[in-house]
Amino acid sequence: MISFRKIWLALVILSTGAIGYWSCSTGSQQRGEVLARTHCGGCHLFPEPSLLPQKVWDEGVLPHMAARLGISYRGMDLDSLQSTNEQQVVDAGVFPVEPVVSQQEWESIVAYYLKNAPDELPDTVRKAALLPLTNFRVRTPRQPVPAMVTAVRYDSLHQQVWAGLRSGVTYVLDKNLRPVDSLFRSRSPFSDIRFRKNEWDLLSMGIMDPNDKSTGDWIRISKKGNQWVAKPLVEGLQRPVHASFADINDDGREDMVVSEYGNYIGRLAWYENLPNDSTRMHIIENQPGARQTYWHDYNGDGRKDLWVLWAQGDEQIAVYLNNGRGNLIKKVLLRFSPVYGSGYFELVDINKDGHMDILYANGDNADHSQTKKPYHGIRIFTNNGSGVFRETFFYPMHGATQALARDFDQDGDLDIAAIAFFPDYDQESAESFVYLENQGNGKYLPRTFSDPNVGRWLTMDVADVDQDGDLDILLGSFSLTITPTPKAIKERWNRENKGVILLENQLR
């Protein structure tokens, strides 16, 4: 979602120079551009008018931008926004009490975007038709799983599949996709999980829909006889979506970093593991949109550094250099437009040169700029060996949500499995799952299975589920729709209850 937080601070910093420019410029067009760059580029990458159609700017993005500037536009009233959001949003000053631009200045910004935006975005350029996915076969669970799956994960310790539903119910399946246990129900759907020998740690997101309530938590569950027992470890999290682990303060105990995605507000924080089985929170950044974190040594000093994907506004991939004892220094590696819809990344040595590259998926369309975007897709950013990343591969894919690089065919290079939660259903077969078979020299052959519309893929995991020595692909379907979807497809998802499918690798 586009975020224009703290723009009033940018005004204080930039207004002096901007006023000088205005006095010398001619015409509202130049004035509107300077105003737009001042107020829309102070806290994130400036969104060029060419990124969205004129109608989407006018009816979707600009009304919300106006609210961040203390202005009402197209019926979006500031008072109603204040009254319908949690008090902590009001206290954070997300919506300023007083306008930070005049009505005339706002009209200049609107005119700049509407004059320079296209009527429509160009069509996605498809380089090759999708070929059949011949080396995988589709398997479904013996017991129907509702197509409301928020997370699907493989538990390698117990050789089980865990599928969490929006309702808070979790299905546990064996390698043959048969139910193996009584269902566990938590207060809310889980977004991440850590498997232990005799217990499981779940990151429970609280309310799934956009909100700023602190209702998420990190819980530890165990089995006592036939009963599940839950123990809260960290409570009061703001819509948490991911957790990672490291000894951040060098005290010999493993700490936890939680991406608290939030909505208007949120945070990236690490939770110190204290001796008395409690935790202490340390805020890394107090803003929404933290999506995912990794620990990997960036600068070769022997310490693992924190890599973070930020979405929702200032979209970027950053590394927080670990100087020891909890001291993290931020370095931005890649920055994206706030309408890109960053969704997932992972660190992989894609070209086998000994340096970690970045595999990135962007395609979140659940914001105020819903439209088919030719810049949605799968990207590879190659590391030049000095920690500088350059885009070397782009596969256009409407609504791309997640991508995982693995050697599925065991030929020595990394192939890519990718899903899209917001595919283009105007196509005869929506490109909701794509397997990119690595051909070498940066070339990939796109494939898919015969019926990708069997689900709306929100989540994916890769593991040797059937224990035969090759990697399979788990897909989780979530049937609630936000963007236009044919009625017949929606009815099928609800009727068939194929919330989980397995693409079983036939290599072995």
Side-chain angles (χ1 to χ4, degrees), residues 409-431:
D409 53 13
Q410 298 184 5
D411 64 353
D413 54 29
L414 295 177
D415 313 296
I416 297 170
I419 56 173
F421 187 62
F422 301 97
D424 179 9
Y425 286 105
D426 290 337
Q427 298 177 356
E428 182 177 345
S429 180
E431 200 173 57

Side-chain angles (χ1 to χ4, degrees), residues 365-381:
N365 225 357
D367 58 12
H368 309 302
S369 64
Q370 291 180 15
T371 189
K372 289 183 286 189
K373 300 168 183 172
Y375 43 85
H376 277 177
I378 308 302
R379 288 175 167 82
I380 294 173
F381 296 94

